[in-house]
């Protein structure tokens, strides 16, 4: 089934790409093409295509289906912005015109774009690090508006403890993230706090876009014992670019999401994004059923984490995975 769902998803994304293929950069030009349906619409906007977010998306749809909101009853309008802000604008104005019953926004930039424009339709977020800092809600306990959802923040302390268990004598830690992603800034601050508490020094580097990654990675060679990368949408799309430099220089990379370890980084401690999506689907069903309202439904978290270790990268780096970690980790 997984395979067919993936194919379905690929088809949906491909048709989204076709829809926007001819739009040019501006986005607000021609007429909006609305979905050919008279069923109630569930609109989904995802910032970019990558493993974690795709899994959250699948989980969300599955979670709703489990509660009876399947294709017989609703129409899923799946839209992917391909990492582009102007696409996000186009998608959000499409949603405004089609008046869905509910919007699911996947990752912080997608939720910010939707929440800025749409105030009268419930927006449920998923794979979002910190709703309050991103100004999506007044506070996590009492959102106060039309936005609520599920956070994907995994304990930064636990992630850093994992890094230090794999690189026992680490004293200097590199940190790379995209300066315009508030989700990353939150995690970077927590990481710096941890390092201060544990008397570790931090070499912090930010990128504006994927083109900066190589240079920034090179600037850390010889300066750090390992590098930490949070769940950053920009970095996630270019892990192989980062690994080229870090593997060649034997620098371990610890990452905030399972998919980035599958893409080549040494290790991750993260939430399970499919489960996160399922939980989001349940929350959405509760809203559609009238059981809860976004303004009073607290942001939900996941308390269980998965450790993912990339065996091949451990070999490249010459790192022995301690037994107690190997026992509980998923080896990829
Ligand atoms: N948490 C990120 C956000 O708030 C999105 C995200 C989820 C992500 N999983 C990821 C980014 C993995 C990079 C890698 O926008």
């Amino acid at each position: 089934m997984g395979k067919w769902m993936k194919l379905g998803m690929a088809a949906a994304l491909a048709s989204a790409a076709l829809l926007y293929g001819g739009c040019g950069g501006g986005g607000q030009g021609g007429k909006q093409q609305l979905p050919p349906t008279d069923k109630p619409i569930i609109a989904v906007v995802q910032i970019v295509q990558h493993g974690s977010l795709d899994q959250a998306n699948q989980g969300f749809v599955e979670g709703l289906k489990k509660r009876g909101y399947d294709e017989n009853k609703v129409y899923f309008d799946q839209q992917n912005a391909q990492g582009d802000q102007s696409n996000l604008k186009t998608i959000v104005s499409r949603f405004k015109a089609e008046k869905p019953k509910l919007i699911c926004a996947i990752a912080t930039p997608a939720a910010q774009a939707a929440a800025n424009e749409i105030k009268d339709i419930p927006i449920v977020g998923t794979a979002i690090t910190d709703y309050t800092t991103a100004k999506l809600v007044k506070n996590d306990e009492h959102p106060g508006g039309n936005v609520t959802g599920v956070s994907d923040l995994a304990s930064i302390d636990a992630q850093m403890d994992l890094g230090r268990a794999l690189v026992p004598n680490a004293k200097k830690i590199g940190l790379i993230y995209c300066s315009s992603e508030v989700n990353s800034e939150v995690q970077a601050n927590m990481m710096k706090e941890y390092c201060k508490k544990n008397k570790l020094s931090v070499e912090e580097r930010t990128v504006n876009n994927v083109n900066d990654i190589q240079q920034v990675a090179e600037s850390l060679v010889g300066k750090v014992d390992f590098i930490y990368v949070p769940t950053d949408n920009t970095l996630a799309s270019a892990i192989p670019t980062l690994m080229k430099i870090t593997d060649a220089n034997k620098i371990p990379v610890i990452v905030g999401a399972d998919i980035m370890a599958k893409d080549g980084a040494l290790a991750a401690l993260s939430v399970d994004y499919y489960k996160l999506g399922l939980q989001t689907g349940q929350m959405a069903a509760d809203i559609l059923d009238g059981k809860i309202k976004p303004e009073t439904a607290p942001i939900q978290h996941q308390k269980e984490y998965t450790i993912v270790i990339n065996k091949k990268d451990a070999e490249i780096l010459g790192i022995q995975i301690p037994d107690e970690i190997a026992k509980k980790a998923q080896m990829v």
Side-chain angles (χ1 to χ4, degrees):
M1 182 174 84
K3 184 176 158 199
W4 291 112
M5 276 182 54
K6 265 190 205 141
L7 283 175
M9 182 80 65
L13 292 172
S15 61
L18 277 180
L19 240 170
Y20 293 106
C23 278
Q28 66 282 72
K31 279 187 213 124
Q32 295 286 339
Q33 216 174 328
L34 296 182
T37 182
D38 45 19
K39 290 179 192 149
I41 294 171
I42 305 294
V44 183
V45 55
Q46 179 174 324
I47 176 65
V48 68
Q49 189 172 9
H50 73 65
S52 308
L53 304 185
D54 295 352
Q55 281 171 20
N57 195 330
Q58 287 177 19
F60 171 74
V61 172
E62 217 33 53
L64 271 181
K65 282 186 182 165
K66 280 192 179 169
R67 296 276 296 267
Y69 292 98
D70 59 19
E71 279 97 350
N72 294 320
K73 203 166 166 194
V74 295
Y75 180 93
F76 288 96
D77 185 16
Q78 284 279 357
Q79 299 293 331
N80 190 302
Q82 326 279 347
D84 184 320
Q85 283 293 334
S86 72
N87 285 347
L88 271 183
K89 282 206 181 114
T90 313
I91 292 168
V92 168
S93 54
R94 170 192 173 94
F95 289 175
K96 256 187 157 170
E98 76 188 19
K99 299 197 170 43
K101 286 277 171 272
L102 179 137
I103 295 169
C104 174
I106 308 181
T108 302
Q112 286 176 323
N116 280 343
E117 291 293 324
I118 298 176
K119 310 280 182 199
D120 56 352
I121 296 169
I123 299 174
V124 178
T126 194
I128 288 172
T129 303
D130 188 315
Y131 287 76
T132 302
T133 317
K135 299 200 166 63
L136 291 165
V137 298
K138 291 213 176 72
N139 66 63
D140 280 24
E141 276 308 304
H142 302 282
N146 62 323
V147 183
T148 187
V150 184
S151 161
D152 68 341
L153 180 64
S155 158
I156 301 287
D157 287 11
Q159 295 181 51
M160 293 301 292
D161 286 345
L162 174 67
R164 291 169 77 203
L166 295 173
V167 189
N169 296 316
K171 298 253 166 352
K172 293 173 279 180
I173 323 292
L175 166 65
I176 307 181
Y177 63 100
C178 173
S179 50
S180 62
E181 289 195 34
V182 58
N183 43 292
S184 304
E185 216 181 316
V186 171
Q187 297 170 81
N189 288 338
M190 291 176 177
M191 182 271 192
K192 287 187 270 184
E193 194 58 38
Y194 175 99
C195 289
K196 205 167 142 195
K197 254 192 340 229
N198 290 280
K199 304 197 165 50
L200 306 167
S201 66
V202 179
E203 286 285 336
E204 180 176 3
R205 300 285 187 278
T206 58
V207 301
N208 290 316
N209 55 52
V210 287
N211 300 326
D212 296 343
I213 293 174
Q214 182 175 343
Q215 198 196 343
V216 152
E218 279 165 352
S219 80
L220 290 175
V221 173
K223 296 214 175 95
V224 296
D225 302 312
F226 71 82
I227 293 174
Y228 174 68
V229 178
T231 61
D232 180 290
N233 294 288
T234 309
L235 265 298
S237 59
I239 290 297
T241 309
L242 175 65
M243 299 315 297
K244 232 184 268 160
I245 312 295
T246 54
D247 278 342
N249 293 284
K250 300 236 185 307
I251 308 173
V253 177
I254 308 295
V255 288
D258 49 5
I259 188 70
M260 296 153 104
K262 288 176 186 153
D263 280 352
L266 175 64
L269 179 144
S270 88
V271 299
D272 177 321
Y273 281 88
Y274 181 76
K275 281 193 197 150
L276 198 79
L278 277 178
Q279 190 177 348
T280 315
Q282 297 289 342
M283 214 173 172
D286 283 344
I287 292 172
L288 293 169
D289 289 349
K291 287 187 187 149
I292 59 171
K293 289 199 173 83
E295 53 262 54
T296 47
I299 301 304
Q300 296 183 9
H301 291 263
Q302 227 169 60
K303 297 192 179 67
E304 279 168 31
Y305 306 134
T306 324
I307 294 177
V308 177
I309 305 277
N310 188 311
K311 270 188 299 199
K312 210 169 119 208
D313 197 56
E315 252 165 57
I316 294 173
L317 299 165
I319 288 184
Q320 269 296 109
I321 307 299
D323 278 350
E324 71 273 19
I325 294 176
K327 255 191 288 176
K328 49 187 180 190
Q330 184 190 339
M331 298 291 204
V332 295

